[in-house]
Every structure is written in structure tokens, then in C-alpha cells.
Amino acid sequence: MAPRPPGSYWTEALWDTGRVGRLDYVSNRSLQGVPARLGETGRPLWATAVLPTPCVRAWRTRRAAARDRTAAFALTGAAACLVSPITWVHHLV
């Protein structure tokens, strides 16, 4: 069986979080897990929370990189975990 094109990952598989776990599971530390635990599973609320994240990350990373590249790297990793659909605690390590 041939692999599916990358477009199907970005349009279908990425949003099918049920294949790896429930969004409202207490260990989900992403920005999508917070509203899911409150009973809101729609994407508009999640998108509203996620959209400023890359902007804040870029601003903070630029300031941190001038003093400490390790901190800038850590900020990038933390931002990636926040915007991911599901983030478990071991992803943060």
C-alpha cells in the first residue's frame, strides 16, 4: 500500500486526535486540552488561543537568544508543545 500524500496528514490525520488519545484527558498539556476539559471542543476557541503563541515565542526567543541560546531553544520547544493538538508530559522533557 502506497503512503498517502502529505496533504492528507495536514487536512485529516492531524485533526484526528482520537487516534492517540482524548483531548480532554488530564495529561494533555496543550492549548487544545484546556478548552476540551471545560467541555468546548471546537477549533475557533483553540485557534484564538494558539494564534498569538508564535508571535510571543518569536518576541521572547529573540530577546532570550541575545543572552542565552539554551533559553531560546527551550522557549521554542515549549511553544511547539502548546500549539500541538495533544501534548503529554514526556513531550515537555
Side-chain angles (χ1 to χ4, degrees), residues 30-81:
S30 72
L31 288 174
Q32 196 169 11
V34 175
R37 285 190 290 280
L38 298 172
E40 177 63 46
T41 57
R43 289 188 199 154
L45 181 61
W46 171 75
T48 303
V50 165
L51 286 176
T53 303
C55 299
V56 172
R57 184 217 55 97
W59 173 65
R60 293 292 298 150
T61 301
R62 187 171 207 180
R63 291 185 62 204
R67 295 183 304 265
D68 182 8
R69 287 183 167 254
T70 304
F73 186 73
L75 285 167
T76 299
C81 287

